Amino acid sequence: QVQLVESGGGLVQPGGSLRLSCGASGNIYNINAMGWYRQGPGEQRELVARISNGDSTTYRDSVKGRFTISRDTSKNTVYLQMNSLEPEDTAVYYCNVVGWRYSGINRQTNFDSWGQGTQVTVSS
């Protein structure tokens, strides 16, 4: 199995910054994509940013120019640098990693794992 551990959430004033981290561990063979989603109270989970092979990135429109996703492939870790935070960014942020894991001799199985979530609150 592949486990994800997130860190970096907290309370910040509008205009402030936070950096989220998510490390993946387990019998990982290959990672195809790593991303961050968020879910506000009473809302559906939505994609915030995603980085895939070749370091291709995708951002939701509302965070473009403010958030930056990056990864350290040697550590199987993805980061989300969040600047100029707004109250509307308040949500639980979830890390998501998809790829392949070792499942036996010369065998790999795809996986789609989620982190436990970390609260980000933007308030004065």
Side-chain angles (χ1 to χ4, degrees), residues 95-113:
C95 174
N96 173 249
V97 178
V98 296
W100 296 84
R101 62 179 178 86
Y102 294 103
S103 57
I105 298 175
N106 296 324
R107 289 188 59 189
Q108 297 88 37
T109 301
N110 61 331
F111 71 87
D112 184 345
S113 294

Side-chain angles (χ1 to χ4, degrees), residues 79-101:
Y79 306 96
L80 185 67
Q81 178 66 43
M82 304 184 294
N83 298 328
S84 302
L85 282 161
E86 304 169 352
E88 293 73 23
D89 296 317
T90 295
V92 178
Y93 284 69
Y94 296 91
C95 174
N96 173 249
V97 178
V98 296
W100 296 84
R101 62 179 178 86

Side-chain angles (χ1 to χ4, degrees), residues 29-112:
Y29 172 75
N30 182 57
I31 290 177
N32 294 337
M34 309 179 85
W36 290 95
Y37 291 72
R38 68 187 182 188
Q39 187 169 16
E43 298 179 0
Q44 291 187 334
R45 192 172 297 187
E46 61 187 21
L47 174 67
V48 177
R50 196 168 191 253
I51 185 167
S52 54
N53 287 342
D55 286 340
S56 174
T57 56
T58 301
Y59 295 92
R60 70 179 302 101
D61 287 345
S62 63
V63 307
K64 287 180 180 177
R66 301 188 297 122
F67 291 9
T68 302
I69 190 170
S70 61
R71 65 179 176 176
D72 185 335
T73 55
S74 68
K75 297 180 180 179
N76 290 331
T77 299
V78 62
Y79 306 96
L80 185 67
Q81 178 66 43
M82 304 184 294
N83 298 328
S84 302
L85 282 161
E86 304 169 352
E88 293 73 23
D89 296 317
T90 295
V92 178
Y93 284 69
Y94 296 91
C95 174
N96 173 249
V97 178
V98 296
W100 296 84
R101 62 179 178 86
Y102 294 103
S103 57
I105 298 175
N106 296 324
R107 289 188 59 189
Q108 297 88 37
T109 301
N110 61 331
F111 71 87
D112 184 345

